[in-house]
Amino acid sequence: MTAEPLAPPRIHRRAIGALLKLGLASLIVGVATGLAVLLLVWIVHTIEHLVWGHGEGPFLDGLAMPAVWWLPIVTVGGAGVVAALGWYLLRRFGRKLATVEQGVDGAHMPWWETLADTVIQVTSVALGASIGKEVAPRELSAMAGSKVVRWFGLDARWARILIAAAAGAGLAAVYNVPLAGALFTLEILLAQFSVGAAVVALSVSAIATFVARPLVGDASLYHVASVEVNPSLVVAALLIGPLMGWGATSFATVTKKLARFRPTGWKLLVVLPLTFAAVGAVGAFFPLILGNGRALATAGFDLSQPALILLLLALLKYVATTVSLGSGAIGGTLQPSVAIGAALGAAAAAGWAFVWPGADGTALAIVAAAAFLASNMRAPFTAIALVIEFTDTGFTLLLPIFLAVAGSLAASRLSSRAGLRRFAPIDPARP
């Protein structure tokens, strides 16, 4: 007489059911995140086409000059008026907005207010404001993720992981950097690693990136020439790392200090438009400082500007971004950090060639960008993955990048011990 097969324990059925529910929720969050990014990217492309006359924004994405010299003054100044009015009305009449970090911790993220906030952000960048655009997709994606986890009734632990994964996937999808998006989730938003969290973060980032590709595309953000590593480059990376660390620490410190004096109420309606107009006036003569930083980073990676001009542009980008964020704008510092680091690295390569010829200038610009970004974000692994995926250099530059990032973080920590700032993870997007 054969024995009847034992029915699986009820606890196993519950575990399988919970796993299936989490998997379905992750799928829906990934799709929702990709759709949110598609919406924001479509807004950016549409505005850039209408204003600048090109589907991806002419000088903002690499062209040397705008069609007419006064156009940046009008557009960036106009962005200040629109953004100031929009954020004034949101803060006066809308429900309280939650940051991505607050949303990950369970705070309510209101639908319409979050959507309006993110649209204002990307509209400002499309019009030429000198701020990063990565906050908007993270914020909108985290809001969408928070709604999904409530619909599915996930427990607090998995809800937190999935909302964080949605925010990281927003970053992944808008720049086509799925690995960096997942690392952003684990290293910055969750600040911990577990196999379950890694599976969710990687899955949601991959799905969102795939869904957003009709507008984002599947190519790397920057197209750089092939690079090689030699002893000259390795030594240059060792030397430039601490310099980038000190520069990034200064950048983050100034941004954070100015944020304490952000105008509110009617003052926002005055200060933000005037600041944006001033940035636009500078941008009329140095248009590569405008936008989220892609144009300046491209100039650094391509070595298309003289060393002294790159130094000047890096300084102007530093000032334009810090004062824009300090005047009340909401935006990021990720792409501006890459731009500043790339410009400084390319300029340094020109000087290093007199000391020890042979180091690839593009390679040193990439290495410097990674070092600057790592110290600004306080997230070395995310920064390294971002720069590698941005430039599609694979494993070629890992050794000099690792050395430069290590030196950058060490210098940044020494600066913090000297009293410049705390050495702790921060959100690079909302100083």
Side-chain angles (χ1 to χ4, degrees):
M1 184 174 181
T2 58
E4 292 283 336
L6 295 175
R10 180 175 298 178
I11 189 171
H12 289 177
R13 292 199 296 269
R14 288 178 179 175
I16 293 172
L19 186 62
L20 291 174
K21 183 166 70 171
L22 177 62
L24 182 58
S26 298
L27 173 63
I28 294 175
V29 167
V31 173
T33 297
L35 294 175
V37 169
L38 279 175
L39 171 64
L40 296 178
V41 171
W42 176 81
I43 292 172
V44 171
H45 286 185
T46 301
I47 293 174
E48 288 181 342
H49 176 76
L50 293 174
V51 174
W52 310 110
H54 190 278
E56 293 192 7
F59 72 90
L60 296 179
D61 281 336
L63 199 65
M65 292 292 289
V68 289
W69 70 269
W70 47 262
L71 191 57
I73 303 175
V74 175
T75 56
V76 182
V81 173
V82 172
L85 182 60
W87 281 320
Y88 173 81
L89 294 174
L90 266 180
R91 293 165 189 172
R92 185 173 179 84
F93 300 107
R95 290 170 291 181
K96 184 178 180 181
L97 289 167
T99 66
V100 170
E101 291 73 19
Q102 291 169 343
V104 169
D105 290 336
H108 176 65
M109 302 186 77
W111 268 102
W112 297 111
E113 288 83 353
T114 301
L115 177 61
D117 180 42
T118 56
V119 169
I120 294 170
Q121 290 180 48
V122 296
T123 298
S124 299
V125 175
L127 290 172
S130 183
I131 53 178
K133 68 178 180 181
E134 71 276 357
V135 175
R138 287 170 40 205
E139 186 178 330
L140 190 59
S141 300
M143 184 272 289
S146 69
K147 306 305 178 186
V148 173
V149 299
R150 285 189 174 89
W151 293 338
F152 277 84
L154 297 177
D155 61 47
R157 173 176 177 261
W158 287 111
R160 183 173 185 270
I161 289 173
L162 201 50
I163 296 171
L171 172 65
V174 79
Y175 289 128
N176 188 35
V177 288
L179 176 60
L183 286 174
F184 183 89
T185 298
L186 299 171
E187 188 176 16
I188 294 182
L189 296 179
L190 296 177
Q192 63 184 27
F193 178 85
S194 69
V195 174
V199 170
V200 171
L202 289 167
S203 301
V204 176
S205 284
I207 294 168
T209 302
F210 179 78
V211 172
R213 279 189 172 171
L215 286 182
V216 176
D218 59 357
S220 59
L221 188 65
Y222 300 101
H223 304 286
V224 300
S226 60
V227 295
E228 62 178 22
V229 177
N230 57 28
S232 176
L233 177 63
V234 172
V235 174
L238 280 169
L239 296 175
I240 205 170
L243 297 177
M244 294 300 102
W246 290 321
T249 300
S250 168
F251 181 60
T253 302
V254 171
T255 303
K256 189 174 182 179
K257 286 184 177 180
L258 289 178
R260 297 174 185 168
F261 303 99
R262 281 179 173 175
T264 57
W266 65 267
K267 295 179 181 178
L268 179 68
L269 297 173
V270 177
V271 175
L272 188 59
L274 289 177
T275 303
F276 273 33
V279 170
V282 176
F285 300 96
F286 302 98
L288 290 178
I289 72 166
L290 299 179
N292 69 341
R294 183 176 174 183
L296 179 55
T298 299
F301 295 145
D302 292 347
L303 310 176
S304 60
Q305 298 290 327
L308 291 179
I309 295 297
L310 286 171
L311 286 174
L312 176 60
L313 290 172
L315 175 61
L316 292 175
K317 187 65 178 176
Y318 178 115
V319 174
T321 302
T322 53
V323 299
S324 295
L325 293 171
S327 67
I330 297 175
T333 59
L334 191 158
Q335 274 291 342
S337 294
V338 173
I340 295 170
L344 292 175
W352 183 247
F354 292 100
V355 179
W356 189 346
D360 188 295
T362 295
L364 192 56
I366 294 171
V367 168
F372 195 100
L373 182 61
S375 283
N376 185 56
M377 294 182 72
R378 292 297 190 270
F381 299 110
T382 302
I384 291 170
L386 276 167
V387 171
I388 289 175
E389 288 186 290
F390 279 163
T391 58
D392 194 24
T393 52
F395 297 109
T396 305
L397 294 177
L398 281 187
L399 174 60
I401 285 177
F402 282 0
L403 293 173
V405 167
S408 175
L409 293 174
S412 182
R413 182 157 192 170
L414 288 174
S415 297
S416 68
R417 285 182 173 178
L420 286 177
R421 61 176 298 174
R422 294 180 302 157
F423 186 71
I426 63 169
D427 179 4
R430 286 182 179 271

